[in-house]
Amino acid sequence: DVKVTQSSRYLVKRTGEKVFLECVQDMDHENMFWYRQDPGLGLRLIYFSYDVKMKEKGDIPEGYSVSREKKERFSLILESASTNQTSMYLCASSLQQNNSPLHFGNGTRLTVT
Amino acid sequence: SQKIEQNSEALNIQEGKTATLTCNYTNYSPAYLQWYRQDPGRGPVFLLLIRENEKEKRKERLKVTFDTTLKQSLFHITASQPADSATYLCALQGGYQKVTFGTGTKLQVIP
């Protein structure tokens, strides 16, 4: 079974802090994704990566950056956390073929105070 | 702009009945559509994929239809059980590898 592991289940950070969310997958998937999930807004794509060192903006990239130095690891960075970035963050991975399903981690609940 | 809509935020049905969830999309020409299940506090889990040239797909008590003319997919759970209670999400792949989700429908199966 594919395992996608997010380093923290819950995080509390202060406004202005730099925040790193880490995600590791163990199935050699080419694609990795970061979403945030908010009530009434569903899952919104922040960034995705289809290869090492490659990244593409999703629908809401503002205030975020990503890093993919190794195939199995995809990091989401909040350069200066703000209260409107309080959310559930979900990482996913998939094979690169077009019909490949996404495999999700269990999420990181981030609160910015 | 591209949009995916799941018409009901919440759906309550009696145990044993068939639940039908709707996913409508605009400004996509998807080759396939996916359905996921999400339980509280967990990430979504893939259930089914249907291709544009498939009208219907079944897996145990689940059935998905895909009408590219209406730009709509229907997701059915027959003989529903309380354990089917969850949020169900549809998803489409648009541009290169980008996967976009609907807002989800929260299904509650009442014993």
Side-chain angles (χ1 to χ4, degrees), chain A residues 9 31 33 35 37 45 48 50 59 96 98-102 104-106, chain B residues 32 34 36 38 41-44 46 49 51 93 96-99 101 103:
Chain A
R9 195 82 173 95
N31 295 342
F33 304 81
Y35 292 87
Q37 187 171 33
L45 182 63
F48 65 103
Y50 52 89
D59 297 313
Q96 205 159 67
N98 278 343
N99 60 355
S100 181
L102 271 61
F104 282 87
N106 280 329
Chain B
Y32 66 96
Q34 301 178 350
Y36 290 76
Q38 186 176 23
R42 309 295 295 266
F46 171 75
L49 176 150
R51 293 180 175 79
Q93 185 173 29
Y96 187 74
Q97 304 298 324
K98 179 184 172 186
V99 179
F101 285 79
T103 52

PDB file of all heavy atoms in Angstrom, chain A residues 9 31 33 35 37 45 48 50 59 96 98-102 104-106, chain B residues 32 34 36 38 41-44 46 49 51 93 96-99 101 103:
ATOM      1  N   ARG A   9       0.770  16.285  12.694  1.00  0.00           N
ATOM      2  CA  ARG A   9      -0.697  16.203  12.644  1.00  0.00           C
ATOM      3  C   ARG A   9      -1.312  17.565  12.997  1.00  0.00           C
ATOM      4  O   ARG A   9      -2.282  17.978  12.395  1.00  0.00           O
ATOM      5  CB  ARG A   9      -1.166  15.155  13.642  1.00  0.00           C
ATOM      6  CG  ARG A   9      -2.584  14.723  13.452  1.00  0.00           C
ATOM      7  CD  ARG A   9      -2.665  13.665  12.364  1.00  0.00           C
ATOM      8  NE  ARG A   9      -4.024  13.119  12.300  1.00  0.00           N
ATOM      9  CZ  ARG A   9      -4.950  13.565  11.459  1.00  0.00           C
ATOM     10  NH1 ARG A   9      -4.680  14.551  10.626  1.00  0.00           N
ATOM     11  NH2 ARG A   9      -6.152  13.023  11.449  1.00  0.00           N
ATOM     12  N   ASN A  31       4.449  12.386  -9.266  1.00  0.00           N
ATOM     13  CA  ASN A  31       3.670  13.584  -8.940  1.00  0.00           C
ATOM     14  C   ASN A  31       3.449  13.728  -7.444  1.00  0.00           C
ATOM     15  O   ASN A  31       3.145  12.752  -6.752  1.00  0.00           O
ATOM     16  CB  ASN A  31       2.285  13.516  -9.590  1.00  0.00           C
ATOM     17  CG  ASN A  31       2.332  13.540 -11.104  1.00  0.00           C
ATOM     18  OD1 ASN A  31       3.331  13.933 -11.698  1.00  0.00           O
ATOM     19  ND2 ASN A  31       1.241  13.122 -11.719  1.00  0.00           N
ATOM     20  N   PHE A  33       1.498  16.684  -4.613  1.00  0.00           N
ATOM     21  CA  PHE A  33       0.552  17.804  -4.571  1.00  0.00           C
ATOM     22  C   PHE A  33       0.439  18.333  -3.155  1.00  0.00           C
ATOM     23  O   PHE A  33       0.487  17.574  -2.190  1.00  0.00           O
ATOM     24  CB  PHE A  33      -0.849  17.344  -4.994  1.00  0.00           C
ATOM     25  CG  PHE A  33      -0.922  16.682  -6.342  1.00  0.00           C
ATOM     26  CD1 PHE A  33      -0.578  15.338  -6.486  1.00  0.00           C
ATOM     27  CD2 PHE A  33      -1.370  17.367  -7.453  1.00  0.00           C
ATOM     28  CE1 PHE A  33      -0.657  14.702  -7.722  1.00  0.00           C
ATOM     29  CE2 PHE A  33      -1.457  16.751  -8.693  1.00  0.00           C
ATOM     30  CZ  PHE A  33      -1.100  15.418  -8.827  1.00  0.00           C
ATOM     31  N   TYR A  35      -2.549  20.524  -1.105  1.00  0.00           N
ATOM     32  CA  TYR A  35      -3.873  21.147  -1.083  1.00  0.00           C
ATOM     33  C   TYR A  35      -4.114  21.734   0.307  1.00  0.00           C
ATOM     34  O   TYR A  35      -3.556  21.272   1.300  1.00  0.00           O
ATOM     35  CB  TYR A  35      -4.974  20.104  -1.330  1.00  0.00           C
ATOM     36  CG  TYR A  35      -5.019  19.515  -2.713  1.00  0.00           C
ATOM     37  CD1 TYR A  35      -4.244  18.410  -3.054  1.00  0.00           C
ATOM     38  CD2 TYR A  35      -5.870  20.032  -3.680  1.00  0.00           C
ATOM     39  CE1 TYR A  35      -4.301  17.850  -4.322  1.00  0.00           C
ATOM     40  CE2 TYR A  35      -5.940  19.481  -4.960  1.00  0.00           C
ATOM     41  CZ  TYR A  35      -5.156  18.399  -5.255  1.00  0.00           C
ATOM     42  OH  TYR A  35      -5.221  17.850  -6.514  1.00  0.00           O
ATOM     43  N   GLN A  37      -7.638  22.565   2.746  1.00  0.00           N
ATOM     44  CA  GLN A  37      -9.062  22.259   2.802  1.00  0.00           C
ATOM     45  C   GLN A  37      -9.723  23.126   3.862  1.00  0.00           C
ATOM     46  O   GLN A  37      -9.323  23.100   5.024  1.00  0.00           O
ATOM     47  CB  GLN A  37      -9.289  20.779   3.111  1.00  0.00           C
ATOM     48  CG  GLN A  37     -10.748  20.362   3.011  1.00  0.00           C
ATOM     49  CD  GLN A  37     -10.913  18.852   3.095  1.00  0.00           C
ATOM     50  OE1 GLN A  37     -10.166  18.169   3.783  1.00  0.00           O
ATOM     51  NE2 GLN A  37     -11.909  18.318   2.394  1.00  0.00           N
ATOM     52  N   LEU A  45      -5.989  23.461  -4.687  1.00  0.00           N
ATOM     53  CA  LEU A  45      -4.617  23.112  -5.013  1.00  0.00           C
ATOM     54  C   LEU A  45      -3.699  24.319  -4.854  1.00  0.00           C
ATOM     55  O   LEU A  45      -3.924  25.372  -5.450  1.00  0.00           O
ATOM     56  CB  LEU A  45      -4.562  22.579  -6.446  1.00  0.00           C
ATOM     57  CG  LEU A  45      -3.208  22.115  -6.953  1.00  0.00           C
ATOM     58  CD1 LEU A  45      -2.685  20.928  -6.141  1.00  0.00           C
ATOM     59  CD2 LEU A  45      -3.308  21.736  -8.427  1.00  0.00           C
ATOM     60  N   PHE A  48       1.855  21.876  -7.188  1.00  0.00           N
ATOM     61  CA  PHE A  48       2.161  20.485  -7.433  1.00  0.00           C
ATOM     62  C   PHE A  48       3.498  20.363  -8.146  1.00  0.00           C
ATOM     63  O   PHE A  48       4.029  21.355  -8.662  1.00  0.00           O
ATOM     64  CB  PHE A  48       1.032  19.778  -8.189  1.00  0.00           C
ATOM     65  CG  PHE A  48       0.788  20.276  -9.588  1.00  0.00           C
ATOM     66  CD1 PHE A  48       1.226  19.553 -10.686  1.00  0.00           C
ATOM     67  CD2 PHE A  48       0.081  21.450  -9.808  1.00  0.00           C
ATOM     68  CE1 PHE A  48       0.979  20.002 -11.971  1.00  0.00           C
ATOM     69  CE2 PHE A  48      -0.165  21.909 -11.093  1.00  0.00           C
ATOM     70  CZ  PHE A  48       0.281  21.174 -12.176  1.00  0.00           C
ATOM     71  N   TYR A  50       5.756  17.542 -10.708  1.00  0.00           N
ATOM     72  CA  TYR A  50       5.703  16.338 -11.524  1.00  0.00           C
ATOM     73  C   TYR A  50       7.080  15.691 -11.668  1.00  0.00           C
ATOM     74  O   TYR A  50       7.239  14.698 -12.374  1.00  0.00           O
ATOM     75  CB  TYR A  50       5.081  16.610 -12.894  1.00  0.00           C
ATOM     76  CG  TYR A  50       5.705  17.767 -13.627  1.00  0.00           C
ATOM     77  CD1 TYR A  50       6.806  17.566 -14.460  1.00  0.00           C
ATOM     78  CD2 TYR A  50       5.199  19.062 -13.491  1.00  0.00           C
ATOM     79  CE1 TYR A  50       7.385  18.621 -15.133  1.00  0.00           C
ATOM     80  CE2 TYR A  50       5.782  20.121 -14.158  1.00  0.00           C
ATOM     81  CZ  TYR A  50       6.865  19.904 -14.975  1.00  0.00           C
ATOM     82  OH  TYR A  50       7.433  20.948 -15.639  1.00  0.00           O
ATOM     83  N   ASP A  59      -4.060  26.639  -7.857  1.00  0.00           N
ATOM     84  CA  ASP A  59      -5.061  27.710  -7.915  1.00  0.00           C
ATOM     85  C   ASP A  59      -4.835  28.821  -6.898  1.00  0.00           C
ATOM     86  O   ASP A  59      -5.281  29.942  -7.081  1.00  0.00           O
ATOM     87  CB  ASP A  59      -6.453  27.110  -7.707  1.00  0.00           C
ATOM     88  CG  ASP A  59      -6.798  26.126  -8.820  1.00  0.00           C
ATOM     89  OD1 ASP A  59      -6.582  26.469  -9.994  1.00  0.00           O
ATOM     90  OD2 ASP A  59      -7.274  25.013  -8.507  1.00  0.00           O
ATOM     91  N   GLN A  96       2.573   9.325 -12.787  1.00  0.00           N
ATOM     92  CA  GLN A  96       2.441  10.403 -13.754  1.00  0.00           C
ATOM     93  C   GLN A  96       1.419  10.099 -14.858  1.00  0.00           C
ATOM     94  O   GLN A  96       0.959  11.000 -15.523  1.00  0.00           O
ATOM     95  CB  GLN A  96       3.800  10.707 -14.397  1.00  0.00           C
ATOM     96  CG  GLN A  96       3.889  12.135 -14.916  1.00  0.00           C
ATOM     97  CD  GLN A  96       5.310  12.590 -15.067  1.00  0.00           C
ATOM     98  OE1 GLN A  96       6.038  12.085 -15.907  1.00  0.00           O
ATOM     99  NE2 GLN A  96       5.706  13.547 -14.261  1.00  0.00           N
ATOM    100  N   ASN A  98      -2.021   9.545 -16.816  1.00  0.00           N
ATOM    101  CA  ASN A  98      -3.187  10.407 -16.674  1.00  0.00           C
ATOM    102  C   ASN A  98      -4.315   9.837 -15.842  1.00  0.00           C
ATOM    103  O   ASN A  98      -5.092  10.578 -15.293  1.00  0.00           O
ATOM    104  CB  ASN A  98      -3.733  10.794 -18.047  1.00  0.00           C
ATOM    105  CG  ASN A  98      -2.957  11.953 -18.620  1.00  0.00           C
ATOM    106  OD1 ASN A  98      -2.255  12.643 -17.896  1.00  0.00           O
ATOM    107  ND2 ASN A  98      -3.074  12.161 -19.905  1.00  0.00           N
ATOM    108  N   ASN A  99      -4.471   8.558 -15.728  1.00  0.00           N
ATOM    109  CA  ASN A  99      -5.598   8.010 -14.988  1.00  0.00           C
ATOM    110  C   ASN A  99      -5.191   7.543 -13.595  1.00  0.00           C
ATOM    111  O   ASN A  99      -5.896   6.785 -12.964  1.00  0.00           O
ATOM    112  CB  ASN A  99      -6.228   6.857 -15.759  1.00  0.00           C
ATOM    113  CG  ASN A  99      -5.238   5.736 -15.989  1.00  0.00           C
ATOM    114  OD1 ASN A  99      -4.066   5.866 -15.655  1.00  0.00           O
ATOM    115  ND2 ASN A  99      -5.695   4.643 -16.532  1.00  0.00           N
ATOM    116  N   SER A 100      -4.073   8.023 -13.110  1.00  0.00           N
ATOM    117  CA  SER A 100      -3.582   7.543 -11.826  1.00  0.00           C
ATOM    118  C   SER A 100      -4.264   8.259 -10.659  1.00  0.00           C
ATOM    119  O   SER A 100      -4.313   9.493 -10.635  1.00  0.00           O
ATOM    120  CB  SER A 100      -2.075   7.777 -11.748  1.00  0.00           C
ATOM    121  OG  SER A 100      -1.560   7.312 -10.539  1.00  0.00           O
ATOM    122  N   PRO A 101      -4.829   7.524  -9.696  1.00  0.00           N
ATOM    123  CA  PRO A 101      -5.475   8.175  -8.558  1.00  0.00           C
ATOM    124  C   PRO A 101      -4.457   8.826  -7.627  1.00  0.00           C
ATOM    125  O   PRO A 101      -3.283   8.460  -7.599  1.00  0.00           O
ATOM    126  CB  PRO A 101      -6.180   7.020  -7.840  1.00  0.00           C
ATOM    127  CG  PRO A 101      -5.415   5.809  -8.219  1.00  0.00           C
ATOM    128  CD  PRO A 101      -4.900   6.045  -9.606  1.00  0.00           C
ATOM    129  N   LEU A 102      -4.944   9.782  -6.837  1.00  0.00           N
ATOM    130  CA  LEU A 102      -4.117  10.427  -5.830  1.00  0.00           C
ATOM    131  C   LEU A 102      -4.179   9.646  -4.524  1.00  0.00           C
ATOM    132  O   LEU A 102      -5.237   9.164  -4.126  1.00  0.00           O
ATOM    133  CB  LEU A 102      -4.599  11.859  -5.589  1.00  0.00           C
ATOM    134  CG  LEU A 102      -3.989  12.948  -6.478  1.00  0.00           C
ATOM    135  CD1 LEU A 102      -4.298  12.695  -7.937  1.00  0.00           C
ATOM    136  CD2 LEU A 102      -4.477  14.314  -6.048  1.00  0.00           C
ATOM    137  N   PHE A 104      -3.462  10.237  -0.545  1.00  0.00           N
ATOM    138  CA  PHE A 104      -3.335  11.351   0.388  1.00  0.00           C
ATOM    139  C   PHE A 104      -2.728  10.931   1.714  1.00  0.00           C
ATOM    140  O   PHE A 104      -2.926   9.801   2.188  1.00  0.00           O
ATOM    141  CB  PHE A 104      -4.705  11.957   0.674  1.00  0.00           C
ATOM    142  CG  PHE A 104      -5.219  12.850  -0.421  1.00  0.00           C
ATOM    143  CD1 PHE A 104      -5.928  12.325  -1.488  1.00  0.00           C
ATOM    144  CD2 PHE A 104      -5.007  14.220  -0.373  1.00  0.00           C
ATOM    145  CE1 PHE A 104      -6.399  13.146  -2.497  1.00  0.00           C
ATOM    146  CE2 PHE A 104      -5.484  15.053  -1.375  1.00  0.00           C
ATOM    147  CZ  PHE A 104      -6.175  14.517  -2.451  1.00  0.00           C
ATOM    148  N   GLY A 105      -2.034  11.893   2.350  1.00  0.00           N
ATOM    149  CA  GLY A 105      -1.711  11.772   3.758  1.00  0.00           C
ATOM    150  C   GLY A 105      -2.929  12.156   4.594  1.00  0.00           C
ATOM    151  O   GLY A 105      -3.976  12.531   4.050  1.00  0.00           O
ATOM    152  N   ASN A 106      -2.787  12.086   5.914  1.00  0.00           N
ATOM    153  CA  ASN A 106      -3.910  12.387   6.786  1.00  0.00           C
ATOM    154  C   ASN A 106      -4.003  13.850   7.200  1.00  0.00           C
ATOM    155  O   ASN A 106      -4.860  14.209   8.004  1.00  0.00           O
ATOM    156  CB  ASN A 106      -3.885  11.484   8.015  1.00  0.00           C
ATOM    157  CG  ASN A 106      -4.457  10.112   7.693  1.00  0.00           C
ATOM    158  OD1 ASN A 106      -5.337   9.974   6.853  1.00  0.00           O
ATOM    159  ND2 ASN A 106      -3.929   9.094   8.348  1.00  0.00           N
TER     160      ASN A 106
ATOM    161  N   TYR B  32     -11.243  11.677 -17.973  1.00  0.00           N
ATOM    162  CA  TYR B  32     -11.754  10.778 -16.947  1.00  0.00           C
ATOM    163  C   TYR B  32     -12.123  11.591 -15.720  1.00  0.00           C
ATOM    164  O   TYR B  32     -11.729  12.748 -15.583  1.00  0.00           O
ATOM    165  CB  TYR B  32     -10.725   9.703 -16.601  1.00  0.00           C
ATOM    166  CG  TYR B  32      -9.483  10.240 -15.954  1.00  0.00           C
ATOM    167  CD1 TYR B  32      -9.354  10.247 -14.565  1.00  0.00           C
ATOM    168  CD2 TYR B  32      -8.441  10.754 -16.710  1.00  0.00           C
ATOM    169  CE1 TYR B  32      -8.230  10.763 -13.961  1.00  0.00           C
ATOM    170  CE2 TYR B  32      -7.322  11.275 -16.111  1.00  0.00           C
ATOM    171  CZ  TYR B  32      -7.211  11.275 -14.739  1.00  0.00           C
ATOM    172  OH  TYR B  32      -6.102  11.793 -14.146  1.00  0.00           O
ATOM    173  N   GLN B  34     -12.780  11.120 -11.310  1.00  0.00           N
ATOM    174  CA  GLN B  34     -12.525  10.260 -10.156  1.00  0.00           C
ATOM    175  C   GLN B  34     -13.480  10.603  -9.018  1.00  0.00           C
ATOM    176  O   GLN B  34     -13.915  11.748  -8.881  1.00  0.00           O
ATOM    177  CB  GLN B  34     -11.088  10.468  -9.656  1.00  0.00           C
ATOM    178  CG  GLN B  34     -10.025  10.171 -10.692  1.00  0.00           C
ATOM    179  CD  GLN B  34      -8.626  10.449 -10.172  1.00  0.00           C
ATOM    180  OE1 GLN B  34      -8.436  11.025  -9.108  1.00  0.00           O
ATOM    181  NE2 GLN B  34      -7.623  10.035 -10.925  1.00  0.00           N
ATOM    182  N   TYR B  36     -13.783  10.125  -4.675  1.00  0.00           N
ATOM    183  CA  TYR B  36     -13.048   9.836  -3.449  1.00  0.00           C
ATOM    184  C   TYR B  36     -14.020   9.879  -2.268  1.00  0.00           C
ATOM    185  O   TYR B  36     -15.026  10.569  -2.297  1.00  0.00           O
ATOM    186  CB  TYR B  36     -11.955  10.897  -3.201  1.00  0.00           C
ATOM    187  CG  TYR B  36     -10.804  10.852  -4.169  1.00  0.00           C
ATOM    188  CD1 TYR B  36     -10.935  11.345  -5.465  1.00  0.00           C
ATOM    189  CD2 TYR B  36      -9.574  10.309  -3.793  1.00  0.00           C
ATOM    190  CE1 TYR B  36      -9.877  11.306  -6.359  1.00  0.00           C
ATOM    191  CE2 TYR B  36      -8.499  10.263  -4.680  1.00  0.00           C
ATOM    192  CZ  TYR B  36      -8.672  10.765  -5.957  1.00  0.00           C
ATOM    193  OH  TYR B  36      -7.616  10.724  -6.833  1.00  0.00           O
ATOM    194  N   GLN B  38     -13.961  10.739   1.951  1.00  0.00           N
ATOM    195  CA  GLN B  38     -13.168  11.328   3.023  1.00  0.00           C
ATOM    196  C   GLN B  38     -13.909  11.202   4.343  1.00  0.00           C
ATOM    197  O   GLN B  38     -15.040  11.656   4.478  1.00  0.00           O
ATOM    198  CB  GLN B  38     -12.851  12.805   2.743  1.00  0.00           C
ATOM    199  CG  GLN B  38     -11.901  13.405   3.769  1.00  0.00           C
ATOM    200  CD  GLN B  38     -11.499  14.831   3.440  1.00  0.00           C
ATOM    201  OE1 GLN B  38     -12.203  15.537   2.723  1.00  0.00           O
ATOM    202  NE2 GLN B  38     -10.350  15.268   3.951  1.00  0.00           N
ATOM    203  N   GLY B  41     -11.174  13.976   9.749  1.00  0.00           N
ATOM    204  CA  GLY B  41      -9.809  13.905  10.249  1.00  0.00           C
ATOM    205  C   GLY B  41      -8.867  13.063   9.412  1.00  0.00           C
ATOM    206  O   GLY B  41      -7.729  12.815   9.825  1.00  0.00           O
ATOM    207  N   ARG B  42      -9.326  12.607   8.247  1.00  0.00           N
ATOM    208  CA  ARG B  42      -8.482  11.768   7.387  1.00  0.00           C
ATOM    209  C   ARG B  42      -8.379  12.390   6.004  1.00  0.00           C
ATOM    210  O   ARG B  42      -9.181  13.241   5.613  1.00  0.00           O
ATOM    211  CB  ARG B  42      -9.088  10.367   7.247  1.00  0.00           C
ATOM    212  CG  ARG B  42      -9.455   9.682   8.538  1.00  0.00           C
ATOM    213  CD  ARG B  42      -8.244   9.388   9.392  1.00  0.00           C
ATOM    214  NE  ARG B  42      -7.337   8.437   8.791  1.00  0.00           N
ATOM    215  CZ  ARG B  42      -7.365   7.132   9.015  1.00  0.00           C
ATOM    216  NH1 ARG B  42      -8.283   6.617   9.800  1.00  0.00           N
ATOM    217  NH2 ARG B  42      -6.470   6.346   8.453  1.00  0.00           N
ATOM    218  N   GLY B  43      -7.366  11.952   5.252  1.00  0.00           N
ATOM    219  CA  GLY B  43      -7.270  12.373   3.869  1.00  0.00           C
ATOM    220  C   GLY B  43      -8.246  11.614   2.988  1.00  0.00           C
ATOM    221  O   GLY B  43      -8.703  10.532   3.354  1.00  0.00           O
ATOM    222  N   PRO B  44      -8.592  12.161   1.820  1.00  0.00           N
ATOM    223  CA  PRO B  44      -9.487  11.446   0.898  1.00  0.00           C
ATOM    224  C   PRO B  44      -8.871  10.128   0.443  1.00  0.00           C
ATOM    225  O   PRO B  44      -7.654  10.006   0.327  1.00  0.00           O
ATOM    226  CB  PRO B  44      -9.624  12.419  -0.281  1.00  0.00           C
ATOM    227  CG  PRO B  44      -9.276  13.758   0.268  1.00  0.00           C
ATOM    228  CD  PRO B  44      -8.243  13.495   1.311  1.00  0.00           C
ATOM    229  N   PHE B  46      -9.238   7.196  -2.639  1.00  0.00           N
ATOM    230  CA  PHE B  46      -9.753   6.944  -3.982  1.00  0.00           C
ATOM    231  C   PHE B  46     -10.737   5.779  -3.984  1.00  0.00           C
ATOM    232  O   PHE B  46     -10.493   4.736  -3.359  1.00  0.00           O
ATOM    233  CB  PHE B  46      -8.577   6.630  -4.909  1.00  0.00           C
ATOM    234  CG  PHE B  46      -8.972   6.153  -6.273  1.00  0.00           C
ATOM    235  CD1 PHE B  46      -9.470   7.039  -7.207  1.00  0.00           C
ATOM    236  CD2 PHE B  46      -8.861   4.813  -6.612  1.00  0.00           C
ATOM    237  CE1 PHE B  46      -9.830   6.601  -8.479  1.00  0.00           C
ATOM    238  CE2 PHE B  46      -9.220   4.361  -7.866  1.00  0.00           C
ATOM    239  CZ  PHE B  46      -9.707   5.260  -8.798  1.00  0.00           C
ATOM    240  N   LEU B  49     -12.704   5.362 -10.753  1.00  0.00           N
ATOM    241  CA  LEU B  49     -12.365   6.229 -11.872  1.00  0.00           C
ATOM    242  C   LEU B  49     -13.230   5.802 -13.056  1.00  0.00           C
ATOM    243  O   LEU B  49     -13.432   4.619 -13.287  1.00  0.00           O
ATOM    244  CB  LEU B  49     -10.881   6.067 -12.210  1.00  0.00           C
ATOM    245  CG  LEU B  49     -10.321   6.815 -13.411  1.00  0.00           C
ATOM    246  CD1 LEU B  49      -8.861   7.142 -13.156  1.00  0.00           C
ATOM    247  CD2 LEU B  49     -10.439   5.992 -14.685  1.00  0.00           C
ATOM    248  N   ARG B  51     -13.782   6.651 -17.297  1.00  0.00           N
ATOM    249  CA  ARG B  51     -13.231   7.321 -18.480  1.00  0.00           C
ATOM    250  C   ARG B  51     -14.347   7.907 -19.334  1.00  0.00           C
ATOM    251  O   ARG B  51     -15.488   7.465 -19.273  1.00  0.00           O
ATOM    252  CB  ARG B  51     -12.385   6.343 -19.293  1.00  0.00           C
ATOM    253  CG  ARG B  51     -11.128   5.907 -18.576  1.00  0.00           C
ATOM    254  CD  ARG B  51     -10.294   4.930 -19.392  1.00  0.00           C
ATOM    255  NE  ARG B  51      -9.044   4.623 -18.727  1.00  0.00           N
ATOM    256  CZ  ARG B  51      -8.902   3.775 -17.723  1.00  0.00           C
ATOM    257  NH1 ARG B  51      -9.964   3.131 -17.263  1.00  0.00           N
ATOM    258  NH2 ARG B  51      -7.723   3.563 -17.178  1.00  0.00           N
ATOM    259  N   GLN B  93      -9.050  15.948 -13.874  1.00  0.00           N
ATOM    260  CA  GLN B  93      -7.715  16.405 -14.246  1.00  0.00           C
ATOM    261  C   GLN B  93      -7.851  17.399 -15.383  1.00  0.00           C
ATOM    262  O   GLN B  93      -8.440  17.089 -16.417  1.00  0.00           O
ATOM    263  CB  GLN B  93      -6.841  15.230 -14.675  1.00  0.00           C
ATOM    264  CG  GLN B  93      -5.414  15.649 -14.946  1.00  0.00           C
ATOM    265  CD  GLN B  93      -4.495  14.476 -15.208  1.00  0.00           C
ATOM    266  OE1 GLN B  93      -4.935  13.454 -15.701  1.00  0.00           O
ATOM    267  NE2 GLN B  93      -3.229  14.622 -14.872  1.00  0.00           N
ATOM    268  N   TYR B  96      -1.842  20.045 -17.298  1.00  0.00           N
ATOM    269  CA  TYR B  96      -0.825  19.024 -17.109  1.00  0.00           C
ATOM    270  C   TYR B  96      -0.745  18.543 -15.662  1.00  0.00           C
ATOM    271  O   TYR B  96      -0.263  19.229 -14.786  1.00  0.00           O
ATOM    272  CB  TYR B  96       0.527  19.600 -17.537  1.00  0.00           C
ATOM    273  CG  TYR B  96       1.640  18.607 -17.557  1.00  0.00           C
ATOM    274  CD1 TYR B  96       1.727  17.660 -18.562  1.00  0.00           C
ATOM    275  CD2 TYR B  96       2.617  18.627 -16.590  1.00  0.00           C
ATOM    276  CE1 TYR B  96       2.749  16.754 -18.601  1.00  0.00           C
ATOM    277  CE2 TYR B  96       3.652  17.717 -16.608  1.00  0.00           C
ATOM    278  CZ  TYR B  96       3.711  16.784 -17.617  1.00  0.00           C
ATOM    279  OH  TYR B  96       4.729  15.877 -17.652  1.00  0.00           O
ATOM    280  N   GLN B  97      -1.237  17.370 -15.414  1.00  0.00           N
ATOM    281  CA  GLN B  97      -1.176  16.687 -14.118  1.00  0.00           C
ATOM    282  C   GLN B  97      -1.947  17.398 -12.998  1.00  0.00           C
ATOM    283  O   GLN B  97      -1.916  16.961 -11.869  1.00  0.00           O
ATOM    284  CB  GLN B  97       0.285  16.523 -13.648  1.00  0.00           C
ATOM    285  CG  GLN B  97       1.184  15.802 -14.640  1.00  0.00           C
ATOM    286  CD  GLN B  97       0.763  14.381 -14.929  1.00  0.00           C
ATOM    287  OE1 GLN B  97       0.296  13.679 -14.050  1.00  0.00           O
ATOM    288  NE2 GLN B  97       0.876  13.951 -16.177  1.00  0.00           N
ATOM    289  N   LYS B  98      -2.632  18.477 -13.315  1.00  0.00           N
ATOM    290  CA  LYS B  98      -3.315  19.228 -12.256  1.00  0.00           C
ATOM    291  C   LYS B  98      -4.676  18.590 -11.969  1.00  0.00           C
ATOM    292  O   LYS B  98      -5.484  18.447 -12.878  1.00  0.00           O
ATOM    293  CB  LYS B  98      -3.503  20.675 -12.702  1.00  0.00           C
ATOM    294  CG  LYS B  98      -4.216  21.549 -11.704  1.00  0.00           C
ATOM    295  CD  LYS B  98      -4.424  22.938 -12.291  1.00  0.00           C
ATOM    296  CE  LYS B  98      -5.314  23.762 -11.380  1.00  0.00           C
ATOM    297  NZ  LYS B  98      -5.656  25.051 -11.968  1.00  0.00           N
ATOM    298  N   VAL B  99      -4.927  18.225 -10.728  1.00  0.00           N
ATOM    299  CA  VAL B  99      -6.183  17.570 -10.350  1.00  0.00           C
ATOM    300  C   VAL B  99      -6.974  18.512  -9.454  1.00  0.00           C
ATOM    301  O   VAL B  99      -6.469  18.985  -8.434  1.00  0.00           O
ATOM    302  CB  VAL B  99      -5.911  16.240  -9.613  1.00  0.00           C
ATOM    303  CG1 VAL B  99      -7.237  15.584  -9.205  1.00  0.00           C
ATOM    304  CG2 VAL B  99      -5.118  15.297 -10.505  1.00  0.00           C
ATOM    305  N   PHE B 101     -10.644  19.332  -7.319  1.00  0.00           N
ATOM    306  CA  PHE B 101     -11.722  18.650  -6.615  1.00  0.00           C
ATOM    307  C   PHE B 101     -12.959  19.529  -6.501  1.00  0.00           C
ATOM    308  O   PHE B 101     -12.870  20.759  -6.440  1.00  0.00           O
ATOM    309  CB  PHE B 101     -11.273  18.277  -5.200  1.00  0.00           C
ATOM    310  CG  PHE B 101     -10.335  17.110  -5.156  1.00  0.00           C
ATOM    311  CD1 PHE B 101      -8.990  17.268  -5.453  1.00  0.00           C
ATOM    312  CD2 PHE B 101     -10.794  15.841  -4.831  1.00  0.00           C
ATOM    313  CE1 PHE B 101      -8.131  16.183  -5.430  1.00  0.00           C
ATOM    314  CE2 PHE B 101      -9.935  14.750  -4.807  1.00  0.00           C
ATOM    315  CZ  PHE B 101      -8.605  14.937  -5.107  1.00  0.00           C
ATOM    316  N   THR B 103     -16.346  20.510  -4.064  1.00  0.00           N
ATOM    317  CA  THR B 103     -16.376  20.854  -2.639  1.00  0.00           C
ATOM    318  C   THR B 103     -16.882  19.705  -1.774  1.00  0.00           C
ATOM    319  O   THR B 103     -16.757  19.760  -0.561  1.00  0.00           O
ATOM    320  CB  THR B 103     -17.234  22.090  -2.383  1.00  0.00           C
ATOM    321  OG1 THR B 103     -18.502  21.887  -2.998  1.00  0.00           O
ATOM    322  CG2 THR B 103     -16.580  23.334  -2.966  1.00  0.00           C
TER     323      THR B 103
END
